[in-house]
Amino acid sequence: MSELGHEVLAAVLQVRSRSLQVLLWRRAREPQVGRWSLPGGQLGATEDIEASVRRQLAEKVDVRQLSHVEQLAVFSAPDRVPGDRVIASTFLALVRSDNDPVIPDDTSWFPIDALPDTAFDHQAVVLRARDRLRSKLSYTNVGFALAAPEFTVSALRDVYSAALGYRVSATNLQRVLSRRGQLEPTGETVPPGPSGGRPAALFRFARASIQITDPFAVFRPPATTPPPAPPSPPTESASRA
Amino acid sequence: MSELGHEVLAAVLQVRSRSLQVLLWRRAREPQVGRWSLPGGQLGATEDIEASVRRQLAEKVDVRQLSHVEQLAVFSAPDRVPGDRVIASTFLALVRSDNDPVIPDDTSWFPIDALPDTAFDHQAVVLRARDRLRSKLSYTNVGFALAAPEFTVSALRDVYSAALGYRVSATNLQRVLSRRGQLEPTGETVPPGPSGGRPAALFRFARASIQITDPFAVFRPPATTPPPAPPSPPTESASRA
DNA sequence: ACAAAAGTGTTGAGATTACACCCATGT
DNA sequence: ACATGGGTGTAATCTCAACACTTTTGT
């Protein structure tokens, strides 16, 4: 019977310099010396996997300000790494764009569209993290985990554009998020830049934990609140006695 | 150092008797004798976790016709089961409603809204499976994995109603699925029942593997097809040289 | 004829995009 | 004044829910 290990791996994503980037760590040893891998490590005996990710990120790359962490998937191909078998539980972890954690020399941020040579199956993990983030930006409030605590709409647009990989309109972004109750004006404004322009209002996210804001694409359950008392239809025995 | 095991667990769901049901297995041994648990077992040395689920379901409960299988989440609390630590990779597995697999005496189907006493953290797995299925019915074509290969729209409505837990309108169900290209008429019809009525047309799903049919709730990427030649994108060096 | 079930037509409400236009500030 | 963002108004489009109405069959 061979040994079976369990590791956790995190794709730590952040919007930096207007691009979505991932934190990678350069392997110093065989196998695959010089390739870039995701931070993580062996699961400890007394921690669950999420605690393990947080611990490893804090210890190994000194990243402590994770605004959001969620499970991605398990990678379990028997030969996914050489030697003893290791199963990987993978995570999506987000860092707000106002943070700039001090990271070790052998780690670096890479734009997710220009990854270097990655180790093992780590590229698949990164792509999965990216896709998950992009989907969730559409139907949840994860934006809070990417943006600074307070921001102008155009700063937020830049964050969304970087994360989604295509231009987003500030006008419509503001309207959608407002309608969903995600945005709150702080009441303050920031002065315009050197080239002029109207001062921008500051906003914040209404909630700082993930929530599904757009739950049903279709097949919505029958409305219960809005129609208080539609005129009693033909023969239907209504709910009221 | 304590032992570390890895098991796989599956919430096998099927629409039976117009209700969404899950396959459970009655524990014959301590701990938690008599409680009901999810089928599954220890991960084998040479298989990945999905292969393991399929194997265990085939061997232990004789369920082989899985129309869809996907990972749910890892349950890793150190004390989730007594004794040596065991990490569980959990799955959602679906069986089409036209199947009726022969199952062992100590297993049984339970409506998901009336679960018996469940073992360990298995109830959480079942609920997660249910929620995942309900979400995916809205934005993917998973319906194919619940319905029979050919069906009338009202049969399909019953399947969707059971899975979602609320009445669905056959009229609108047909329209939505048709618009998305999920439904194909077979050209055949079935005769009406004893009480009369117009004969119903038979349909099938256009694809028998899962696909996202309603990808973007909002923040859709800029339309690429309609506007023939939008002005060349800004200054970004694109992927194309 | 009448009832029952299937399927189509049509209207109305909401959400979202696109775009024109106004606002506040620097030069 | 004019240029430069920021922000609001508004129309066109699309999707979906609701419901009336037609179609096809059994009794």
Side-chain angles (χ1 to χ4, degrees), chain A residues 6 43-49 71 73-74 76 78 85 87 89 137-138 160 166 173 180 214 217-222, chain B residues 6 43-49 71 73-74 76 78 85 87 89 137-138 160 166 173 180 214 217-222:
Chain A
H6 197 113
L43 174 67
T46 60
E47 59 188 0
D48 68 26
I49 53 174
Q71 284 191 36
V74 175
S76 63
R85 182 173 189 184
I87 291 177
S89 287
L137 281 172
S138 269
Y160 272 73
Y166 53 79
L173 179 64
R180 296 183 176 176
D214 202 26
V218 282
F219 310 141
R220 296 180 181 79
Chain B
H6 197 111
L43 174 66
T46 60
E47 60 189 359
D48 68 26
I49 54 176
Q71 282 192 37
V74 176
S76 63
R85 182 171 189 185
I87 290 177
S89 287
L137 281 172
S138 269
Y160 272 73
Y166 53 79
L173 179 65
R180 295 182 176 179
D214 203 26
V218 283
F219 310 141
R220 294 180 182 77

Side-chain angles (χ1 to χ4, degrees), chain B residues 38-105:
Chain B
L38 292 172
Q42 283 296 128
L43 174 66
T46 60
E47 60 189 359
D48 68 26
I49 54 176
E50 181 171 330
S52 186
V53 180
R54 292 182 181 272
R55 174 180 62 81
Q56 316 247 18
L57 289 177
E59 288 176 2
K60 299 194 178 172
V61 291
D62 207 39
V63 174
R64 292 158 203 280
Q65 312 94 327
L66 300 173
S67 45
H68 177 66
V69 173
E70 75 177 57
Q71 282 192 37
L72 277 178
V74 176
F75 287 71
S76 63
D79 58 349
R80 59 174 287 278
V81 298
D84 286 340
R85 182 171 189 185
V86 179
I87 290 177
S89 287
T90 63
F91 284 80
L92 163 64
L94 300 178
V95 175
R96 287 200 318 243
S97 62
D98 58 316
N99 291 325
D100 190 10
V102 179
I103 56 174
D105 285 348

